[in-house]
Amino acid sequence: MSSPNSAYPDTPEAQDKPKRQEWPLWEVFIRGQHGMSHRHVGSLHAADEEMAIKNARDVYTRRNEGVSIWVVEARHIAASSPSDKGPLYEPSESKVYRHPTFFDIPDEVGAM
Amino acid sequence: MAAVDQAHLFTFLCRMGDNTLVLGHRVSEWCGHAPVLEEDIALANTALDLIGQTQMWLGLAAKVEGKDRTADDLAMLRDVWDFRNVLLVEQPNGDFGQTIMRQFLFDAWHLAMLTALTKSTNADVAAIAAKSVKEVQYHVERAGDTVIGLGDGTTESHQRMQKALDLLWPYVGEMFVPDPVDDAMAAAGIAPDLTDLRGDYDALVASVLAQATLKTPEGSFAHKGGKSGFQHSEHLGHLLTQMQWLQRAYPGASW
């Protein structure tokens, strides 16, 4: 027996209910008042990209954080695998000469 | 231009403020109950926008009245018969679709009204309208998109949206029927002639409802009695018992 449709007793409950589908996940990037780059601030669910931008506006810019919003569906982001951490990042640990800390900065240059 | 009757101006300002107060409270009832987290936050934002606008409208109303009342006094210490909101905004939330339909039908009027009020001859009114209109542009866009999404959605969501539209449509007319207060505002250039707003409203609503595959109900019957205070629906009294409870039980309580 289907449960009564409480909001609309007169509207029959659909017999073959579609399986509840979650909206896709979107990653949200906001450019703040004083920054050139968009920074990842979090994620949310939305049915399409326009709704994702509106939701991002409501969820992540309530306190005047942003001047621009990017959203991208999470499945479109290619990410490095955590298990590759060793081969990917550890080789650079021993290469301190890649940091520009071995130069004497002439005084005339001033603060950098 | 003749000086405007201050009692009429007070009534007009109460109408603007009571619309946003009552609808703001209604929308806030969703807080923690919306179908998804994102909608919950969006609805709370909308409610807060409306309550913020209420502070400005009722604050100005209290100043115009000149009886040492504050915006809080007007919001929390008047009874049903002194409220001047249209009947549409006091209607119950129903399901999410009904809430969104009510929001869209009001937002579309609100946007047209505020846009016109930015050119008001009363500088205070124009300033409040200029601040509010940016918020309401977003409200109408969001509500309209959701009406389209649900109307042109599944069989069930479509049915529910059509039902909500059929239920709420008879409350649209009241927003456009001028009475002596509206005539006085229009004559003084404080507010537009309400009948002038109908064309843009109908065009916007028709376009959204068409995209939503919803059918505008026939007939022009309009419930009346909200903005005149003559006959609010029973729902407003119930709303006030919740909204005003704290000030009634603990008079003068403050943060």
Side-chain angles (χ1 to χ4, degrees), chain A residues 22-66:
Chain A
E22 284 290 344
W23 288 332
L25 185 70
W26 299 77
E27 300 298 334
V28 180
F29 301 81
I30 306 271
R31 182 156 83 83
Q33 314 271 357
H34 310 289
M36 292 304 288
S37 60
H38 289 70
R39 294 174 67 96
H40 184 239
V41 294
S43 54
L44 48 73
H45 289 91
D48 58 32
E49 63 243 33
E50 283 173 25
M51 187 180 184
I53 287 182
K54 285 201 173 64
N55 285 347
R57 180 263 191 198
D58 278 318
V59 176
Y60 292 111
T61 68
R62 301 180 70 229
R63 298 178 184 85
N64 205 24
E65 292 95 335

Side-chain angles (χ1 to χ4, degrees), chain B residues 21 69 72-83 236-254:
Chain B
L21 174 61
R69 290 206 280 184
D72 284 342
D73 294 337
L74 291 174
M76 297 301 164
L77 300 178
R78 284 179 300 157
D79 209 338
V80 173
W81 46 79
D82 287 327
F83 272 76
L236 181 59
H238 293 285
L239 181 150
L240 294 187
T241 58
Q242 287 215 334
M243 188 180 82
Q244 298 181 334
W245 172 80
L246 194 115
Q247 279 304 318
R248 300 294 193 181
Y250 303 96
S254 63

Side-chain angles (χ1 to χ4, degrees), chain B:
Chain B
M1 209 170 281
V4 71
D5 182 320
Q6 294 298 291
H8 279 157
L9 180 56
F10 173 73
T11 301
F12 170 73
L13 294 168
C14 284
R15 285 176 180 178
M16 294 303 296
D18 289 347
N19 281 339
T20 52
L21 174 61
V22 171
L23 185 59
H25 184 80
R26 273 283 182 243
V27 176
S28 79
E29 291 171 0
W30 275 103
C31 200
H33 300 278
V36 292
L37 183 65
E38 289 81 359
E39 284 299 336
D40 202 289
I41 296 175
L43 285 168
N45 285 348
T46 303
L48 286 170
D49 285 348
L50 293 170
I51 300 300
Q53 294 172 17
T54 304
Q55 284 181 321
M56 297 190 284
W57 289 123
L58 294 187
L60 183 57
K63 198 174 102 183
V64 166
E65 187 191 38
K67 287 188 186 161
D68 264 355
R69 290 206 280 184
T70 64
D72 284 342
D73 294 337
L74 291 174
M76 297 301 164
L77 300 178
R78 284 179 300 157
D79 209 338
V80 173
W81 46 79
D82 287 327
F83 272 76
R84 292 292 178 268
N85 56 280
V86 292
L87 297 172
L88 175 66
V89 296
E90 71 197 39
Q91 296 311 303
N93 284 340
D95 62 9
F96 179 73
Q98 188 177 320
T99 292
I100 292 298
M101 183 59 78
R102 181 188 63 201
Q103 191 69 36
F104 173 66
L105 294 175
F106 177 77
D107 286 343
W109 174 84
H110 204 197
L111 179 63
M113 183 66 168
L114 290 172
T115 304
L117 288 179
T118 58
K119 298 180 221 82
S120 173
T121 54
N122 181 311
D124 291 331
V125 169
I128 295 173
K131 186 159 190 295
S132 308
V133 77
K134 289 180 204 143
E135 295 171 344
V136 172
Q137 269 162 354
Y138 181 73
H139 297 172
V140 75
E141 203 179 303
R142 179 166 194 109
D145 283 357
T146 312
V147 166
I148 293 168
L150 291 173
D152 189 19
T154 66
T155 314
E156 170 137 11
S157 74
H158 174 84
Q159 255 179 350
R160 288 183 183 230
M161 292 312 279
Q162 186 63 55
K163 194 127 192 167
L165 178 60
D166 295 346
L167 178 75
L168 296 171
W169 188 252
Y171 294 96
V172 166
E174 187 188 13
M175 299 188 285
F176 297 97
V177 181
D179 67 1
V181 172
D182 297 311
D183 294 340
M185 293 304 111
I190 292 174
D193 181 343
L194 290 181
T195 54
D196 288 347
L197 305 179
R198 189 76 205 231
D200 285 351
Y201 182 88
D202 283 344
L204 173 62
V205 169
S207 139
V208 166
L209 293 183
Q211 291 174 74
T213 69
L214 295 172
K215 197 163 157 284
T216 310
E218 297 191 358
S220 56
F221 171 74
H223 292 291
K224 287 192 285 288
K227 72 178 195 177
S228 67
F230 174 67
Q231 198 167 41
H232 281 286
S233 60
E234 65 170 300
H235 309 296
L236 181 59
H238 293 285
L239 181 150
L240 294 187
T241 58
Q242 287 215 334
M243 188 180 82
Q244 298 181 334
W245 172 80
L246 194 115
Q247 279 304 318
R248 300 294 193 181
Y250 303 96
S254 63
W255 290 106

